[in-house]
Amino acid sequence: MNRNIQVTIIEDDDTIRNGYSFLIGNTEGYEVVSSYCSYESAALKIANDKPDVILLDIEMPGTNGIDAIPKLKKLLPHVYILILTVYESEKLIFEALANGAAGYLTKNTPSAKIIESIKEVKEGGGPMSINIAKMVIKSFQKNQESPLSKRETQILEQVCNGKSRSQIAKELFIDLETVRSHIKNIYVKLDVNSRADAIKTARENKLI
Amino acid sequence: MNRNIQVTIIEDDDTIRNGYSFLIGNTEGYEVVSSYCSYESAALKIANDKPDVILLDIEMPGTNGIDAIPKLKKLLPHVYILILTVYESEKLIFEALANGAAGYLTKNTPSAKIIESIKEVKEGGGPMSINIAKMVIKSFQKNQESPLSKRETQILEQVCNGKSRSQIAKELFIDLETVRSHIKNIYVKLDVNSRADAIKTARENKLI
DNA sequence: TAATTAATCACCCCATTGGGGTGATTTTTT
DNA sequence: AAAAAATCACCCCAATGGGGTGATTAATTA
């Protein structure tokens, strides 16, 4: 039979931490093995708690949640970390995910969804709040009204891959001079005059 | 008061299409305004149907779902497109999202989740199946055991941004020769000997 | 404490590149 | 018929990139 999902909570606000603790502790199949108010206090003992899932806040005194992720992963390589925070800034979300968070929920998330998400991460899923999912999906989307032509976009992509003019020419079966010409036109359209700036503008406007 | 959510289905399999049509048509607050078995047949009339949401399959005769997305968006700039498919390949998912899909569900998704997701996209959300969310989140995650040092990673990031050695040197307040040296070490560690290959390897191994 | 690893800087060489001009021809799309 | 996209050409020249070899000083780990 399945044993309870072991959960640790790291959250500096007492009220919130106790709230989650109560919610999870009183749900069939779940168990709160420990809860801490900071990364520092958790670091000392969490290796013994051996939780399956950590609910982690971002804003905390001492080490913040983002920086705590890799450290916690080092202490518990197989743990799943679920971020539970009020922050919805793109930067924080992507940093958290890049650092190894398995999911990202905002604090307005209904209890049922939190409980479900804990189970979901434990099973290898990647739960997100609706608004987070929206931002994440948006981050993939290309700008639909690019000023660049198809060929120019194609070449800009290669530039972003670090290819030299001659490498691009070979790959697209066109002359070196043609690549040159396209890049010049790209520069004019994007109002830049270097590869680095072209790449930056391309990324900012999601042209690639 | 709210009017029904107007849905169009584009799906080549008759059974599946009729199934969705029945499911959605019989749900309070939802309405199937039209359903087509291909992009081509939809293209002729969909502008008049004015759906809020399109459920779109990927594998279809003629124009496939991925390529249909931008075309549909051109016909109906404000429509939300929800991909509903059996495919779970990373490439397809990211292409679909890049092309402007608002959400991505796999066909094993329970009816209730499909219904909920239609509402969610209409409200600007980005619904995903659990397995898709997992892949999407994974795509953000950096490799935790990179062979590169912190400084090297930092420099590789700049290289990926198209910066020249001297630009990197300026930004990091170090000598040009130091940048050179770091890049040489990066090349050795990644077993490459050009910027383009370094970037490729870095991306493939999620070192950046 | 000893041994690595990381981070910093230096100078050799030289073919290639990148960016700035200016201009032209041929498809494709509108 | 007009406009936009894609192709190629040749001028100039400083800067860049990659290969070698080697050294000094932290910082980290064994």
Side-chain angles (χ1 to χ4, degrees):
Chain A
M1 67 151 270
N2 288 326
R3 92 186 192 332
N4 286 341
I5 299 179
Q6 320 270 296
V7 180
T8 286
I9 302 165
I10 306 178
E11 156 72 60
D12 64 321
D13 186 292
D14 293 350
T15 312
I16 297 177
R17 189 178 62 253
N18 292 333
Y20 290 149
S21 194
F22 182 82
L23 166 70
I24 297 161
N26 285 87
T27 302
E28 176 84 34
Y30 295 77
E31 194 180 330
V32 178
V33 290
S34 53
S35 64
Y36 303 97
C37 62
S38 72
Y39 164 73
E40 279 71 19
S41 57
L44 304 169
K45 297 162 66 189
I46 201 167
N48 294 317
D49 301 336
K50 295 199 178 61
D52 301 309
V53 177
I54 298 173
L55 289 195
L56 184 62
D57 187 22
I58 288 192
E59 187 199 37
M60 287 189 297
T63 305
N64 68 56
I66 302 285
D67 296 332
I69 299 171
K71 296 175 197 262
L72 288 167
K73 283 245 171 182
K74 222 168 190 177
L75 292 170
L76 293 156
H78 300 296
V79 80
Y80 290 105
I81 296 173
L82 186 53
I83 302 291
L84 197 42
T85 180
V86 291
Y87 294 102
E88 297 188 19
S89 98
E90 239 180 74
K91 193 164 164 285
L92 283 179
I93 295 166
F94 298 146
E95 275 179 10
L97 297 179
N99 279 358
Y104 199 110
L105 302 179
T106 44
K107 277 180 176 163
N108 53 21
T109 306
S111 309
K113 169 92 178 170
I114 293 178
I115 292 294
E116 187 199 316
S117 296
I118 292 173
K119 196 176 169 195
E120 207 177 309
V121 279
K122 212 230 147 175
E123 285 164 1
M128 288 173 264
S129 301
I130 291 178
N131 38 350
I132 303 301
K134 181 187 171 181
M135 296 178 74
V136 165
I137 284 194
K138 207 178 156 202
S139 80
F140 281 101
Q141 304 191 338
K142 264 197 196 177
N143 185 340
Q144 309 266 204
E145 63 239 2
S146 163
L148 304 181
S149 72
K150 263 191 184 169
R151 201 51 152 178
E152 285 163 355
T153 304
Q154 203 174 13
I155 284 171
L156 183 54
E157 270 164 11
Q158 301 302 312
V159 169
C160 289
N161 289 334
K163 303 274 171 70
S164 72
R165 292 172 186 165
S166 48
Q167 285 175 309
I168 298 174
K170 269 176 204 155
E171 284 191 35
L172 300 184
F173 304 106
I174 53 180
D175 195 275
L176 213 177
E177 285 302 322
T178 307
V179 176
R180 231 163 114 50
S181 172
H182 280 305
I183 292 181
K184 281 183 218 174
N185 290 331
I186 292 170
Y187 283 10
V188 171
K189 287 187 181 177
L190 301 189
D191 189 26
V192 298
N193 47 22
S194 76
R195 283 171 111 78
D197 285 341
I199 293 172
K200 195 178 166 212
T201 305
R203 299 231 171 102
E204 281 171 0
N205 299 301
K206 295 206 174 292
L207 304 178
I208 39 112
Chain B
M1 69 148 265
N2 289 325
R3 91 187 193 328
N4 285 341
I5 298 179
Q6 319 271 297
V7 181
T8 286
I9 302 164
I10 306 179
E11 156 71 59
D12 63 321
D13 186 292
D14 293 351
T15 312
I16 296 177
R17 189 177 63 251
N18 292 332
Y20 289 149
S21 193
F22 182 81
L23 166 70
I24 297 162
N26 285 85
T27 302
E28 177 84 35
Y30 295 78
E31 194 180 330
V32 178
V33 291
S34 54
S35 64
Y36 303 98
C37 63
S38 72
Y39 165 73
E40 279 71 20
S41 57
L44 304 169
K45 296 163 67 191
I46 201 167
N48 295 317
D49 302 335
K50 293 197 181 60
D52 301 309
V53 177
I54 297 174
L55 289 195
L56 184 62
D57 188 22
I58 288 192
E59 187 199 36
M60 287 189 297
T63 306
N64 68 56
I66 303 284
D67 296 332
I69 299 170
K71 297 176 196 262
L72 288 166
K73 283 247 172 181
K74 222 168 189 176
L75 293 170
L76 294 155
H78 301 295
V79 80
Y80 290 105
I81 295 173
L82 185 54
I83 301 292
L84 197 41
T85 179
V86 291
Y87 294 103
E88 297 188 21
S89 97
E90 237 180 77
K91 192 164 163 285
L92 283 179
I93 296 165
F94 298 147
E95 276 180 10
L97 297 179
N99 279 358
Y104 199 111
L105 301 179
T106 43
K107 277 180 176 163
N108 54 20
T109 305
S111 309
K113 169 90 178 172
I114 293 178
I115 293 295
E116 186 199 318
S117 295
I118 293 173
K119 197 177 170 197
E120 207 177 308
V121 279
K122 212 231 149 177
E123 285 163 1
M128 287 173 266
S129 301
I130 290 179
N131 38 350
I132 303 300
K134 181 186 169 181
M135 297 178 75
V136 165
I137 283 194
K138 206 178 157 203
S139 79
F140 282 100
Q141 305 192 336
K142 265 197 196 175
N143 185 340
Q144 308 267 303
E145 62 240 2
S146 163
L148 304 181
S149 72
K150 265 191 184 170
R151 200 52 150 177
E152 285 163 355
T153 304
Q154 203 174 12
I155 285 172
L156 183 54
E157 269 164 12
Q158 301 302 311
V159 168
C160 289
N161 288 334
K163 302 273 171 69
S164 72
R165 291 173 187 165
S166 47
Q167 287 176 308
I168 298 173
K170 269 177 205 155
E171 285 192 36
L172 301 183
F173 305 106
I174 53 178
D175 195 275
L176 213 176
E177 285 302 322
T178 306
V179 176
R180 230 162 112 51
S181 172
H182 281 305
I183 291 181
K184 281 182 219 172
N185 290 331
I186 292 171
Y187 283 9
V188 171
K189 287 187 181 177
L190 301 189
D191 190 28
V192 298
N193 48 20
S194 75
R195 284 170 110 75
D197 286 340
I199 294 172
K200 196 179 165 212
T201 305
R203 300 231 170 101
E204 281 171 0
N205 298 300
K206 296 207 175 290
L207 304 179
I208 39 115

